[in-house]
Amino acid sequence: MSFFFPEMKASQYFSMSLFLLILLISCPWLISANPHLNNFLGCLDSFYSNHISQVIYTQNNASYSSVLNATIQNLRFSTPTTPKPLVIVTPLQTSHIQATIRCSRTNGLNLRIRSGGHDFEGLSYVSQVPFVVLDLTNFRSVKIDVKNKVAWVQSGAILGEFYSEIAKRSRTLAFPAGICHTVGVGGYLSGGGYGLLLRKYGLAVDNVIDAVFIDVNGRILKRKSMGEDLFWAIRGGGGGSFGVVLSWKVKLVSVPSTVTVFTIRKTLEENATNLVHQWQSVGHKLPGDIFSAVTMRKVNRNGKTTILVAFSSFFLGETNALITLMKAGFPELGLKKEHCTEMSWIESILYFGQIQNKSIDVLLDRSYKSPLNAPMVQNKIRLRQKPNSKSWIRKDLV
Ligand SMILES: Cc1cc2nc3c(=O)[nH]c(=O)nc-3n(C[C@H](O)[C@H](O)[C@H](O)COP(=O)(O)OP(=O)(O)OC[C@H]3O[C@@H](n4cnc5c(N)ncnc54)[C@H](O)[C@@H]3O)c2cc1C
């Protein structure tokens, strides 16, 4: 006699218990105390979706923490009190993504989409309400069409994987994106994307020509079927706002087989204030083939605190041409041949990523700890529309 099923015979009760036991052994992710999670998992299970149990990580799963932490870049959002997802899904096929969207929606769970995990506020893996992380780590194929200068890249690829695939096929093709190679394509393109080729070729999203997108109803859309408004919005309107972008079709851009880079460092005692002041009014007038940036940091020189200013440039051409252009546009910097290094575009990604003594295969390393990433820092961007005065620069620097 069963308390739950009074009419059931002992043999029927035994068969049913056996069935439930087998179900729980074969689907351990169904064991959960959380009703949201139970309903979500039950929904996934009932959904027609092949092998989905292999890509589900609940908090009971031994791999849960390593999967969650694999791409967390900002340790401010990886503390014991940081809210954790009820479940992480690492889909292998499109139907897994559709099922995850539908089941989180019908069960009132927030869905966080994660590609490379570099979100400054941890938005791809933190939420204040019960949530699911959809991690696109298995969606990272890259297809390059050298002849037509286009590529399809999936969102879960990191920029380094994309760059490597381009460089494998051609020394004179590139994609205008950022210098931190572990940033994910999905979040990067969702935010617009700036990089070394910005002045010549615009933002990364200016070079996106199609996309495969899954909307809140699980529909798969391309540029034509989603319409130009949505296509405009997903290219810079902010990740996680409209749906899941699965892959992007992009134009590749031409670069010379040799590019030139340099970094000239000056302290306050070496005229840095005047040079920064001047750079503000000449930097943007340099030809579009030159990308020029200034970074500053406090250093100790001979027991005295000073500021070290680095003037860095990337040029689409060879040293002699760069020196001629810099002499005309910013002679005060005093650029000489010995400051310059010639290399390929792909090598320049390592140079600006501050990666030394490593082969370009490092670009495939998703877990590489980039020196560009300050893991506990909150980034702030302050845009100035007018050049800063010398006294303001001095005050700001010191
Ligand atoms: C060290 C470092 C260096 C950086 N350098 C640059 C740079 O040079 N140029 C530049 O432009 N930016 C740069 N960024 C900013 C970076 O581009 C953004 O933080 C970007 O959103 C990170 O993308 P991700 O896929 O790695 O991050 P994630 O944390 O995975 O995603 C970021 C956001 O996009 C959403 N999202 C992710 N994938 C998808 C998808 N497939 N569909 C829909 N939404 C999605 C997430 O939900 C989240 O809201 C840098 C960031 C860091 C930490």
Side-chain angles (χ1 to χ4, degrees):
M1 181 74 110
S2 153
F3 177 76
F4 294 104
F5 304 98
E7 291 94 281
M8 210 180 254
K9 289 188 191 142
S11 60
Q12 286 173 318
Y13 179 68
F14 176 74
S15 311
M16 182 154 180
S17 304
L18 192 64
F19 168 74
L20 283 173
L21 189 66
I22 291 168
L23 185 71
L24 290 177
I25 289 170
S26 55
C27 306
W29 41 276
L30 281 175
I31 307 169
S32 156
N34 187 307
H36 284 298
L37 178 57
N38 281 340
N39 294 341
F40 174 78
L41 295 176
C43 171
L44 282 188
D45 193 44
S46 66
F47 213 89
Y48 173 67
S49 180
N50 295 333
H51 311 300
I52 197 156
S53 61
Q54 297 164 13
V55 295
I56 290 174
Y57 300 86
T58 65
Q59 295 181 358
N60 297 328
N61 189 298
S63 304
Y64 172 88
S65 295
S66 60
V67 173
L68 177 64
N69 295 331
T71 57
I72 290 184
Q73 296 292 322
N74 199 319
L75 301 180
R76 288 190 301 130
F77 304 109
S78 184
T79 69
T81 55
T82 307
K84 304 280 187 292
L86 292 175
V87 58
I88 306 165
V89 183
T90 56
L92 289 168
Q93 52 198 56
T94 311
S95 63
H96 294 165
I97 301 179
Q98 292 170 302
T100 307
I101 294 174
R102 287 185 186 151
C103 293
S104 31
R105 195 177 149 202
T106 49
N107 290 291
L109 289 171
N110 194 201
L111 184 65
R112 295 301 196 179
I113 310 155
R114 183 162 77 171
S115 288
H118 283 60
D119 191 274
F120 290 125
E121 293 301 318
L123 292 182
S124 55
Y125 51 89
V126 180
S127 173
Q128 300 308 319
V129 294
F131 69 109
V132 173
V133 166
L134 179 71
D135 189 313
L136 297 175
T137 186
N138 296 317
F139 276 80
R140 47 198 238 235
S141 84
V142 179
K143 288 191 186 124
I144 310 286
D145 176 351
V146 174
K147 192 164 149 250
N148 294 306
K149 292 177 42 174
V150 292
W152 272 103
V153 54
Q154 289 188 318
S155 283
I158 56 170
L159 291 179
E161 289 170 323
F162 184 27
Y163 293 160
S164 297
E165 211 53 45
I166 298 172
K168 244 194 254 167
R169 308 288 304 278
S170 164
R171 195 178 157 109
T172 54
L173 285 179
F175 184 69
I179 51 172
C180 177
H181 76 269
T182 50
V183 166
V185 167
Y188 180 82
L189 290 178
S190 297
Y194 58 88
L196 296 175
L197 292 165
L198 171 83
R199 299 193 68 229
K200 175 94 175 180
Y201 292 112
L203 290 174
V205 285
D206 294 331
N207 298 281
V208 171
I209 48 180
D210 205 340
V212 176
F213 174 81
I214 306 186
D215 75 1
V216 68
N217 297 313
R219 290 183 308 161
I220 300 175
L221 305 171
K222 288 186 74 177
R223 178 173 186 167
K224 210 165 170 200
S225 46
M226 78 177 81
E228 285 303 302
D229 278 355
L230 182 54
F231 185 62
W232 176 80
I234 60 171
R235 290 172 301 148
S241 306
F242 308 101
V244 180
V245 184
L246 213 56
S247 54
W248 311 78
K249 185 179 186 183
V250 300
K251 282 187 283 182
L252 300 176
V253 301
S254 295
V255 290
S257 58
T258 302
V259 303
T260 306
V261 301
F262 73 80
T263 303
I264 294 180
R265 295 183 176 83
K266 300 280 183 190
T267 60
L268 293 183
E269 294 70 27
E270 293 164 329
N271 198 27
T273 312
N274 286 335
L275 287 171
V276 172
H277 185 250
Q278 192 152 21
W279 174 81
Q280 294 179 108
S281 43
V282 299
H284 63 286
K285 293 184 190 148
L286 293 170
D289 282 352
I290 302 177
F291 175 89
S292 171
V294 168
T295 52
M296 307 163 199
R297 67 188 164 96
K298 268 190 188 158
V299 292
N300 191 297
R301 284 285 154 91
N302 307 321
K304 199 178 149 217
T305 301
T306 185
I307 299 292
L308 187 66
V309 180
F311 296 85
S312 308
S313 278
F314 165 89
F315 173 59
L316 287 161
E318 296 180 3
T319 304
N320 290 342
L322 175 60
I323 291 178
T324 307
L325 293 170
M326 290 299 286
K327 264 192 187 146
F330 191 14
E332 297 77 6
L333 189 61
L335 181 68
K336 297 199 177 80
K337 212 168 188 159
E338 54 266 32
H339 295 127
C340 299
T341 310
E342 293 182 342
M343 55 182 64
S344 62
W345 163 73
I346 194 81
E347 287 162 345
S348 75
I349 301 294
L350 268 64
Y351 177 84
F352 284 98
Q354 298 174 15
I355 302 173
Q356 284 159 359
N357 306 322
K358 299 236 185 250
S359 82
I360 56 169
D361 286 345
V362 70
L363 297 178
L364 302 174
D365 184 354
R366 296 172 75 89
S367 59
Y368 185 79
K369 292 292 164 226
S370 165
L372 302 177
N373 197 16
M376 295 296 280
V377 159
Q378 180 165 35
N379 287 292
K380 282 189 189 158
I381 294 179
R382 193 168 46 176
L383 294 171
R384 308 266 309 170
Q385 291 192 324
K386 288 188 190 148
N388 299 302
S389 67
K390 280 188 198 172
S391 59
W392 192 92
I393 294 171
R394 255 201 112 76
K395 204 172 73 201
D396 199 49
L397 290 183
V398 189

